[in-house]
Amino acid sequence: MPSLEEILAIARSVGWGASYLLRSYYYGENKDNLDIKDKQGSPVTSADLAVNRYILDRLQTNLGQEEFAYITEETYKSSTPQPTKSWVWIIDPLDGTRDFIDKTGEYTIHIALVKDGRPVLSVVAAPEAEKLYFATLGGGTFVETRDGNIQQVKVSQRHNMEEFTIVVSRSHRGKKLEKILSKLLCKKQKSVGSIGGKIAAIVEQQADVYISLSGKSAPKDWDLAAPELILTEAGGKLTHFDGTPLIYNKEDVSQWGGLIASNGECHDRLCAEAERILVQIENEAI
């Protein structure tokens, strides 16, 4: 099996290639051929499918399927048993499809390698920013620009909750989440599309907190596995409201309940506050 550094070099190359392919659907020769369809209440386009094929082909050609299993948003079926291998690639070829369609520019590509349920290698590409974030477990988080410049990135050290900026979705904001946000000390908000983009905003010190609360649906493994390692290796934290870590490649790929991503400062306090407010809201509804 290749070393983690060798695997990362492959994943970074795949991330850049996937970025260029997506931009061909955003601007270039494929821009008028998105073939938008509905998939369980969410849009899927020919760009999602083309990039999905590209990423799988490149990874499997270079790394094979003996050591590694592969889960992607576009190939996953709930009726299929989860891979039992220790090493699993978890991939979202286009996180933020609605933003891609609406031309907000806030879409990302997620490629994560998970070992025994936890991410050990991650690439998050932001095609419109022409940036690629990458991390390995214990190795820190770095951002690479199109010209090849690479710099390490770290989250902010802001520790006064009243000064925190919460990064939020333009959509997917249910009433319970709105109530939680309204009752927290941090009032400043920044709207960003994809989850990968939200986490990038935190590691770029443009924001400090992101909160997700599932309703009828929940974020999936491919939404979170790659961004999580980008955040934690930059010094941040991502946990459930009760402080427990996320586990990937379980029987259910949905990450139910409340999740908090932060710069790590006051993380336990944020979790406790969100949990307390959620219980209060649910009790008021009884």
Side-chain angles (χ1 to χ4, degrees), residues 13-26 29-30 51 54 109 127 130 145-147:
S13 173
V14 172
W16 280 116
S19 292
Y20 301 144
L21 181 55
L22 263 186
R23 283 169 67 88
S24 79
Y25 281 89
Y26 202 76
E29 65 271 18
N30 295 313
V51 175
Y54 171 83
I109 300 159
E130 297 188 300
T145 52
R146 190 176 181 180
D147 61 6

Side-chain angles (χ1 to χ4, degrees), residues 32-257:
D32 298 320
N33 187 30
L34 286 183
D35 190 23
I36 302 168
K37 293 186 170 109
D38 181 80
K39 180 185 176 184
Q40 298 177 335
S42 298
V44 63
T45 72
S46 55
D48 297 71
L49 301 177
V51 175
N52 188 75
R53 287 192 298 270
Y54 171 83
I55 294 172
L56 279 179
D57 178 68
R58 287 290 310 278
L59 289 177
Q60 291 174 348
T61 297
N62 283 279
L63 298 168
Q65 299 186 60
E66 266 190 44
E67 297 284 349
F68 302 98
Y70 298 82
I71 298 172
T72 85
E73 179 178 13
E74 305 311 330
T75 60
Y76 173 78
K77 292 183 175 62
S78 58
S79 58
T80 304
Q82 291 298 90
T84 56
K85 292 179 180 175
S86 292
W87 297 89
V88 181
W89 288 97
I90 299 180
I91 300 157
D92 190 343
L94 175 47
D95 184 54
T97 301
R98 174 55 61 192
D99 286 275
F100 183 83
I101 294 168
D102 292 344
K103 299 285 198 219
T104 71
E106 295 170 353
Y107 61 91
T108 51
I109 300 159
H110 300 173
I111 303 172
L113 180 58
V114 168
K115 185 176 189 294
D116 298 326
R118 295 290 297 148
V120 296
L121 182 151
S122 169
V123 166
V124 170
E128 293 310 299
E130 297 188 300
K131 290 181 176 181
L132 184 137
Y133 301 87
F134 62 90
T136 53
L137 186 62
T141 295
F142 297 83
V143 60
E144 181 178 13
T145 52
R146 190 176 181 180
D147 61 6
N149 182 50
I150 297 174
Q151 292 187 333
Q152 188 168 8
V153 288
K154 291 184 178 292
V155 297
S156 76
Q157 293 183 312
R158 285 184 284 269
H159 56 272
N160 183 347
M161 283 177 56
E162 292 182 352
E163 296 177 357
F164 283 0
T165 296
I166 301 180
V167 64
V168 296
S169 298
R170 291 189 175 86
S171 55
H172 307 298
R173 290 164 66 176
K175 290 181 180 178
K176 282 185 182 179
L177 178 57
E178 288 287 8
K179 285 185 178 179
I180 290 174
L181 295 177
S182 71
K183 291 176 182 290
L184 286 173
L185 285 175
C186 21
K187 301 300 181 187
K188 291 187 282 187
Q189 294 188 359
K190 176 182 177 66
S191 296
V192 176
S194 70
I195 291 178
K198 293 177 176 69
I199 297 305
I202 296 176
V203 303
E204 294 270 15
Q205 301 188 14
Q206 298 168 3
D208 309 284
V209 182
Y210 166 58
I211 298 179
S212 168
L213 185 64
S214 59
K216 293 180 181 178
S217 63
K220 305 297 190 290
D221 283 3
W222 45 79
D223 296 313
L224 294 163
E228 179 187 348
L229 194 67
I230 297 296
L231 175 66
T232 56
E233 285 298 318
K237 290 185 178 180
L238 173 57
T239 68
H240 293 278
F241 277 9
D242 63 5
T244 57
L246 281 64
I247 304 297
Y248 301 98
N249 190 34
K250 299 180 298 184
E251 186 175 344
D252 185 356
V253 296
S254 295
Q255 297 286 346
W256 295 100

